Amino acid sequence: MPLASTVHPIRSGRPSRTRRPRRAIGVALAAVLAIGLSACAPDAVSDSFLSGENTGYVAADGAIVEIPVAERGEPVDFGGVTENGETFSSNDIAGKVTVVNFWYAGCAPCRVEAGDLESVWQEQGGDGVAFVGVNTRDQADTARAFAEEFGVTYPSLIDVDTAEAKLAFAASVPIQATPTTLVLDKQGRVAARIIGPIDGTSILSTLVKDALAEDS
């Protein structure tokens, strides 16, 4: 089912709307990146992001989209193996609001948002909320080094060889930009999507709280 950005009620009583990021660097679409490439390969898009040129990024009006409950697709069943060699299944987090972040170590905006993602995880994580990364380009040792460097404590699936997790979301939200962050509701359906870096903690925190406030 295609993602919608129509106005809909949220728990505050105010109409929901597509949210826009604050900074000029903004939330942006990344160039489509081949899964088989090494994270150590030159990445002109990431280099331009770091230099401030933004070459290869397209301004994304409506890059943050909330999906009304009635318009959400089926629950997404996904899984894989984490950077620590542990088997993961979405059944393990059934009933939780889940943040799924697609990333890789050589992606400059992924590095920019890493601390903010971890902050939201530390604030919101617990019995009712889960965080899972999906690394689309790196092997486990690179993902572990990234986690250590940026203090990331939630697990990531190593998806480079199988694209198992990425394909699981294809029917609901094809992942064509890195980073992309999804918020899944308690039933495992995609409730919100952020294309590009999350641009601070407030928007993601609000999306998680909105999903938590919904009836199961």
Side-chain angles (χ1 to χ4, degrees):
M1 173 179 292
L3 288 170
S5 57
T6 53
V7 173
H8 61 283
I10 57 175
R11 62 188 177 90
S12 65
R14 298 189 299 272
S16 177
R17 61 186 182 278
T18 299
R19 303 175 190 267
R20 298 176 187 271
R22 301 183 306 274
R23 297 194 299 254
I25 201 169
V27 174
L29 287 171
V32 176
L33 299 168
I35 289 176
L37 293 178
S38 166
C40 295
D43 188 338
V45 173
S46 289
D47 290 345
S48 68
F49 184 97
L50 288 173
S51 70
E53 297 171 1
N54 288 336
T55 305
Y57 285 80
V58 179
D61 289 339
I64 301 168
V65 179
E66 295 179 79
I67 306 169
V69 173
E71 298 178 19
R72 293 173 193 168
E74 295 297 316
V76 180
D77 182 12
F78 68 103
V81 178
T82 73
E83 72 271 51
N84 293 317
E86 299 172 347
T87 300
F88 170 88
S89 168
S90 53
N91 292 330
D92 301 335
I93 53 173
K96 294 186 177 185
V97 171
T98 302
V99 175
V100 183
N101 174 255
F102 292 81
W103 69 283
Y104 66 92
C107 159
C110 299
R111 301 169 77 86
V112 169
E113 72 173 359
D116 290 333
L117 285 163
E118 177 65 19
S119 292
V120 179
W121 163 238
Q122 292 296 330
E123 173 193 355
Q124 301 281 358
D127 292 339
V129 178
F131 268 57
V132 181
V134 177
N135 188 304
T136 59
R137 287 184 63 176
D138 303 320
Q139 297 297 335
D141 55 349
T142 302
R144 286 194 300 268
F146 182 97
E148 182 176 354
E149 179 180 355
F150 291 95
V152 177
T153 60
Y154 55 85
S156 282
L157 306 180
I158 303 303
D159 210 42
V160 60
D161 294 324
T162 66
E164 177 183 355
K166 188 173 181 179
L167 289 172
F169 285 92
S172 299
V173 280
I175 307 300
Q176 297 177 329
T178 307
T180 290
T181 300
L182 307 177
V183 177
L184 311 185
D185 64 16
K186 297 171 189 176
Q187 297 182 36
R189 304 171 301 181
V190 178
R193 176 189 64 181
I194 303 173
I195 300 175
I198 66 170
D199 191 35
T201 63
S202 61
I203 290 175
L204 181 58
S205 291
T206 298
L207 293 173
V208 169
K209 290 174 182 176
D210 287 349
L212 281 170
E214 294 174 355
D215 294 333
S216 299

